[in-house]
């Protein structure tokens, strides 16, 4: 963990280093992934089954018929879920749905003074594939966060792929899929699943867009199939930035820093405060909390390698630092949290006040927890309904309005050396 | 040019071939581009000047001081523009701006029954770099189409890079930049310009997002810097699909097919009609129009290699074909154009009726002419104001509402094995 003070002579350099620290070891799996994709394109279901047997360590009994998870299996999984978790999932789904329903964009059409009618309409994508990781990173909450906005967007076909290594599956993931209206589920993962979603096999019809987190193979496969299908952002390790003043509770701040750090050894937790006393207290509270945290090994490594406490003179000084960090999650635990939030340009999601720990937003707040990482909040947004819709613009001229617009279009077409463009207008105006 | 009839026995196969025809020869410039980017990252302005001298064939007199186009040079360029083209550009800018102003999204904030306040706010990106190609593909209309939505989005810093091979520049491009509010212009291009925008040099401060068309080097560079900055879509060759019935004017339809074909030998123009007579007439009209078209060589190659006429029994049969083609531009010249448009899911932009040639949309219609190509209208939209903004979600719990949400968040955190998440909530509730 590094501690910086804005009054230090070398602060500018130290902060710049904090900004550029590389937290991801990018595995070079691109050639392997290229081969797998080509294999699925050429071999279809047979290749998909072969790769699954190999990578997911399932035996000869895994055949084409095993690819799809049956409705009975889904119902059995739901029955196997602990009632409390299932109830919490339902509660989360309701809140996430309500929040995202407010994001459905409106269509527009108007006729201007020249008689030109123009506008746009939004349409849900025809189909979306949701990648869900297997094993420990298989989070039912992420199924809800990815699938519910797609359903709200009106996507008629939602497909989920989830690897089940050695046949093991997380019943809560299937329960979340069912809750979110995903009823077409395949037990495949890795680059082979991405390839199947992008190019299709006999069993899995291709989709228009693939979303959801995955390991290095999945990320490389998504980059490769981009263009053939749409993809969401490539997520990096998670991060939180907390702004807290002297009134903040150091144990609560420490708990939030560690909730982020426990995700991944490459996660990053940063505190910016105007109080050196709070900085000291949080540092101690983190150590105390680590002592009893089940995932302490991961959290300790993240805090040690990437954690930071920055002491500033005042929060006006903090705002440009926040914008440069462009954090995925920004918690503001200061007295004037709303006013401070209004000054921030770059953040994926903001959590206001001391009673809004980021973990609430991970599950039941309502806003999406799929958010831009690695400073990409400078130019991108969290996942939402718009990611599952597309806009078609519409233009209609009458003979009269074409006469009004035509001469300018002809002049511009000619100025660009595109006489065919000019003629397609002129021929209608006898020019 | 191929002609298909939906009643033919092999129609399904023939249409599938039309869908999958590769129109782009992807040049493998990735290694070269990697070197250029590394060169600019390491060498800054000096490297930028070196690459520009070499690739743009400018001499030793091109120095760091030459990089920025001065306000005087911009004013001189404007003075050198033909008055008619300048007036047409102003007219286009006004219309494009009016259309895009309608796209500015609204912020949202509400408190639900549990007392949780949530919503989102949209913010313009802090800075955007606009790439403009040099030479013949240097289109002032594209400057307007890229820059105006960014200005409408409230982007405070707009930067343009445009190569000026052998010192030559298109004055209309500088005039369009000025009109669109872009006053920071650099005479650099290629991968070196993209690298400078992404990583910054002493002269060019880095931007948050890079948009605009370019050649294979520019496209490869944009793919490489993605993540460091945002990028727009990677545009492929342009395409038009025209739906026309027996009432359509074959000369007008032919003019529109050729307006697309003249762009590029890899452009694609397709007619779908329910009238074999119209199909015949358009075929003849294309040949006649080609005879006098200045860019006939390009248009003829495009029409020969990628052109298609599909005769269907009726337009209901055409709708799924349109959705599979997912055209960048869709013209509907049928009697029930609006009703037919309403049935289409996948198209970048729709031009309704026989008095709306696509070229109007290229220049003065108002909607953006930067549109999804290569079937990507299945999952993406044309350029718009949203591409220059980003959404930050906001969440605020009161002590009471945290008590209402907390137990579910704790249950889900524990079910996902993230005890630190659960504790960050529990500690605030004394649970």
């Amino acid at each position: 963990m590094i501690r910086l003070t804005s009054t230090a002579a070398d602060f500018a350099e130290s902060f710049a280093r904090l900004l550029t620290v590389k937290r991801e070891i990018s595995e070079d799996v691109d050639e392997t992934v290229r081969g797998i994709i080509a294999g699925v394109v050429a071999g279809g279901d047979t290749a998909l089954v072969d790769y699954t047997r190999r990578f997911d360590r399932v035996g000869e009994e895994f055949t084409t018929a095993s690819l799809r998870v049956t409705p009975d299996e889904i119902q059995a999984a739901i029955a196997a879920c602990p009632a409390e978790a299932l109830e919490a999932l339902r509660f989360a789904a309701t809140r996430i749905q309500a929040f995202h329903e407010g994001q459905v964009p409106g269509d527009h059409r108007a006729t201007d003074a020249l008689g030109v009618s123009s506008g746009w309409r939004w349409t849900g994508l025809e189909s979306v594939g949701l990648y869900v990781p297997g094993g420990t990173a298989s989070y039912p909450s992420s199924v809800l966060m990815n699938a519910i906005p797609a359903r709200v967007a009106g996507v008629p076909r939602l497909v989920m792929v989830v690897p089940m290594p050695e046949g093991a599956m997380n019943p809560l993931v299937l329960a979340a899929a069912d809750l979110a209206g995903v009823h077409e589920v395949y037990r495949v993962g890795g680059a082979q699943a991405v390839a199947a979603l992008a190019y299709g096999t006999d069993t899995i019809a291709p989709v228009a867009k693939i979303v959801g987190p995955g390991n290095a193979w999945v990320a490389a496969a998504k980059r490769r199939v981009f263009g053939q299908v749409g993809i969401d952002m490539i997520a990096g390790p998670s991060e939180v930035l907390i702004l807290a003043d002297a009134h903040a509770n150091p144990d609560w701040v420490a708990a939030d820093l560690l909730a982020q750090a426990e995700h991944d050894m490459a996660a990053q937790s940063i505190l910016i405060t105007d109080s050196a006393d709070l900085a000291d207290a949080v540092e101690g509270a983190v150590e105390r909390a680590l002592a009893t945290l089940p995932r302490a090994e991961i959290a300790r490594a993240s805090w040690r390698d990437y954690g930071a406490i920055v002491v500033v003179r005042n929060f006006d000084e903090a705002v440009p630092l926040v914008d440069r960090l462009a954090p995925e999650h920004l918690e503001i635990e200061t007295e004037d949290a709303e006013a401070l939030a209004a000054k921030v340009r770059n953040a994926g999601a903001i959590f206001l006040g001391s009673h809004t720990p980021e973990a609430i937003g991970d599950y039941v707040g309502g806003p999406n927890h799929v958010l831009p990482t690695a400073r990409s909040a400078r130019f991108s947004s969290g996942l939402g309904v718009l990611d599952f819709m597309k806009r078609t613009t519409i233009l209609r001229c009458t003979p009269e309005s074409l006469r009004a617009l035509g001469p300018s279009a002809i002049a511009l077409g000619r100025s660009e050396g595109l006489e065919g463009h000019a003629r397609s207008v002129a021929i209608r105006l006898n020019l």
Side-chain angles (χ1 to χ4, degrees), chain A:
Chain A
M1 195 272 295
I2 60 163
R3 185 156 164 173
L4 308 178
T5 308
S6 68
T7 50
D10 64 347
F11 178 70
E13 293 74 38
S14 309
F15 189 79
R17 265 200 305 281
L18 182 64
L19 274 180
T20 52
V21 63
K22 273 263 172 278
R23 290 186 286 134
E24 268 189 300
I25 307 120
S26 55
E27 292 177 81
D28 194 7
V29 297
D30 207 46
E31 272 310 298
T32 315
V33 162
R34 199 167 65 91
I36 293 171
I37 294 172
V40 172
V41 168
D45 280 343
T46 310
L48 201 51
V49 167
D50 286 348
Y51 287 122
T52 303
R53 284 181 183 169
R54 189 175 349 149
F55 297 130
D56 292 345
R57 301 171 303 281
V58 290
E60 296 282 312
E61 72 280 8
F62 191 94
T63 65
T64 304
S66 324
L67 288 171
R68 182 148 182 182
V69 179
T70 66
D72 283 353
E73 289 173 309
I74 294 171
Q75 290 314 311
I78 296 169
C81 291
E84 190 193 13
L86 208 52
E87 194 41 55
L89 264 188
R90 281 198 199 101
F91 180 69
T94 305
R95 293 191 54 83
I96 295 164
Q97 171 138 352
F99 181 84
H100 286 82
E101 278 169 353
Q103 290 186 338
V104 177
D107 294 347
H108 173 73
R109 189 81 181 264
T111 302
D112 66 23
L114 298 177
V116 181
S117 166
S118 68
W120 59 81
R121 64 162 202 241
W122 289 92
T123 321
L125 306 191
E126 59 196 11
S127 51
V128 166
L130 165 56
Y131 189 93
V132 178
T136 53
S138 190
Y139 294 137
S141 59
S142 291
V143 173
L144 299 183
M145 293 291 183
N146 279 275
I148 290 174
R151 196 181 53 180
V152 170
V155 175
R157 180 174 166 243
L158 286 173
V159 186
M160 185 170 103
V161 293
V162 52
M164 300 187 184
E166 287 158 3
M169 61 142 192
N170 180 345
L172 275 170
V173 161
L174 291 180
D178 189 71
L179 264 176
V182 184
H183 305 300
E184 186 181 341
V185 181
Y186 300 96
R187 59 181 101 233
V188 287
Q192 59 275 21
V194 173
L197 288 172
Y199 292 95
T201 68
D202 286 344
T203 302
I204 306 180
V207 299
K209 185 167 185 169
I210 302 173
V211 299
N215 61 18
W217 281 264
V218 172
K222 280 167 67 182
R223 275 186 192 271
R224 280 219 162 249
V225 301
F226 176 56
Q228 172 70 21
V229 295
I231 62 167
D232 59 351
M233 62 191 112
I234 307 283
S238 197
E239 65 221 15
V240 71
L241 171 58
I242 303 178
L243 302 183
D245 62 20
H247 303 282
N249 181 321
D251 289 313
W252 298 5
V253 171
D256 296 356
L257 293 169
L258 290 177
Q260 205 61 34
E262 76 170 345
H263 265 292
D264 185 343
M265 288 195 276
Q268 183 168 49
S269 304
I270 300 176
L271 166 66
I272 299 184
T273 178
D274 62 351
S275 160
D277 288 347
L278 184 82
D280 294 339
V282 169
E283 223 180 308
V286 165
E287 291 308 319
R288 281 196 306 280
L290 275 169
T292 63
L293 194 67
R295 291 167 69 93
E297 200 184 339
I298 294 168
R300 183 174 281 118
S302 156
W303 180 242
R304 178 193 65 216
D305 295 342
Y306 304 115
I309 296 179
V310 182
V311 179
V312 292
R313 273 168 292 211
N314 55 62
F315 287 107
D316 280 342
E317 197 178 68
V319 170
L321 306 180
V322 174
D323 281 341
R324 288 170 70 194
L325 285 163
E328 181 190 13
H329 306 106
L330 175 65
E331 282 189 17
I332 308 186
E333 303 194 38
T334 65
E335 284 202 301
D336 59 346
E338 294 272 358
L340 190 49
K343 294 180 190 167
V344 169
R345 182 186 286 271
N346 298 334
I350 300 179
F351 303 84
L352 290 165
S354 55
H355 289 83
T356 320
E358 187 273 323
I360 283 291
D362 283 338
Y363 296 118
V364 292
N368 211 287
H369 80 197
V370 180
L371 293 163
T373 58
R375 303 184 63 223
S376 62
R378 288 172 301 129
F379 53 81
S380 59
S381 309
L383 199 69
V385 171
L386 290 178
D387 294 294
F388 299 101
M389 305 190 80
K390 67 215 175 48
R391 187 183 51 217
T392 299
T393 54
I394 297 165
L395 189 66
R396 176 168 210 147
C397 294
T398 55
E400 297 68 36
S401 58
L402 182 64
R403 205 163 297 128
L405 299 188
S408 297
I410 293 169
L412 288 170
R414 291 200 171 127
S415 79
E416 293 185 350
L418 298 172
E419 177 65 23
H421 282 57
R423 288 187 187 177
S424 72
V425 176
I427 195 173
R428 286 165 161 93
L429 299 172
N430 295 314
L431 292 177

